[in-house]
Amino acid sequence: IADTDERARYEYDDGWMLIILRIPYVKEVRSRTPYTTVPLGIIHKRDVTITVCNFETNMMIDFVSYQQKRGEGFTDYVDMIFRLFLSSAVWYLKRLKQINALIEKSKKNLNNESLIGLSRLQDSLTYFVTSIRGNENLLAKLKFKLQVDELDADLIEDVNIEMSQARETTSIYSDILESTMDTYSSIINNNMNTVMRTLTSVSIIMMLPTLVS
């Protein structure tokens, strides 16, 4: 999936089913958006299920490693698909904890550089909440399109809980971040007003000798 803007969706073509899920991805720290999302493709037909991603992500590495440790495999392709949904939700929460730690660190030493960093994190949170909502909508459609058994239904419930928590956490952190940036902007404006008043007073004092003469 080379197009990073692919939205979460599913489609059928000649017996093949394509599902595109948005998953969290971390870029370089000084990137414009250090935390973003990328598309993960799930392709299925009969007994063949393939996952495709144009990026090497921690989520997929962890997913494969965890399934190997479980040693149980998947009951069917539906089980695998919903476990990928669950893994993505869990990793959104992990990345959100990292973002919150960066926010708290920046709040302790607010300056121009940290303000730029907070602005970048705000962009990341926007990507997160948009992708999580897209995944939630996709999940709501798939549970009626795929052959879901009782075990799958329990798994879907777990996915819904994790995704809902990830979306709500993203919104909370976004509100906190916006409040922090507004507070810092107010401080800058107040300091600027103080400086301007001081400069005005100095200018008036310097003009007095000229007026007297």
Side-chain angles (χ1 to χ4, degrees), residues 6 35 38-39 46 73 78 80 87 89 98 100 116 122 124 128 147 167-168 170 172 182 186 193 203 213:
E6 287 279 5
Y35 293 85
V38 295
R46 298 195 183 102
V78 177
M80 176 182 173
S87 181
Q98 295 174 0
N100 185 52
I116 293 173
Q122 183 70 63
S124 295
F128 270 32
Q147 296 179 349
R167 173 173 42 79
E168 291 172 2
T170 303
I172 291 171
D182 287 345
S186 297
N193 290 334
S203 298
S213 62

Side-chain angles (χ1 to χ4, degrees), residues 6 12 29 32 74 78 80 89 97 103 107 119 134 136 140 146 148 158 160 164 166-167 193 196 198 200:
E6 287 279 5
Y12 289 95
V29 176
R32 182 68 184 85
F74 306 103
V78 177
M80 176 182 173
K97 287 182 180 179
I103 294 174
K107 286 166 65 175
S119 175
E136 286 182 309
L146 302 177
V148 177
D158 291 338
N160 277 324
S164 178
R167 173 173 42 79
N193 290 334
M196 292 303 297
T198 302
T200 301

Side-chain angles (χ1 to χ4, degrees), residues 29-135:
V29 176
R30 291 192 174 275
S31 170
R32 182 68 184 85
T33 49
Y35 293 85
T36 186
T37 65
V38 295
L40 169 69
I42 307 169
I43 305 170
H44 173 77
K45 185 176 183 179
R46 298 195 183 102
D47 296 330
V48 178
T49 304
I50 305 170
T51 59
V52 182
C53 187
N54 203 42
F55 301 86
E56 184 177 353
T57 66
N58 293 108
M59 176 199 136
M60 289 306 298
I61 295 173
D62 177 72
F63 181 78
V64 173
S65 175
Y66 176 71
Q67 297 307 322
Q68 289 175 341
K69 291 178 181 178
R70 283 180 68 224
E72 298 178 5
F74 306 103
T75 56
D76 53 23
Y77 78 95
V78 177
D79 180 55
M80 176 182 173
I81 289 172
F82 290 135
R83 287 192 182 279
L84 282 168
F85 270 87
L86 180 61
S87 181
S88 72
V90 170
W91 271 91
Y92 273 114
L93 289 169
K94 287 183 179 181
R95 295 310 186 194
L96 285 167
K97 287 182 180 179
Q98 295 174 0
I99 289 175
N100 185 52
L102 291 174
I103 294 174
E104 293 301 319
K105 181 179 179 181
S106 297
K107 286 166 65 175
K108 294 178 181 178
N109 184 27
L110 282 175
N111 51 44
N112 290 337
E113 184 177 355
S114 61
L115 188 62
I116 293 173
L118 291 176
S119 175
R120 290 172 176 169
L121 291 178
Q122 183 70 63
D123 293 340
S124 295
L125 290 174
T126 300
Y127 283 120
F128 270 32
V129 73
T130 302
S131 295
I132 292 170
R133 285 172 179 164
N135 288 348

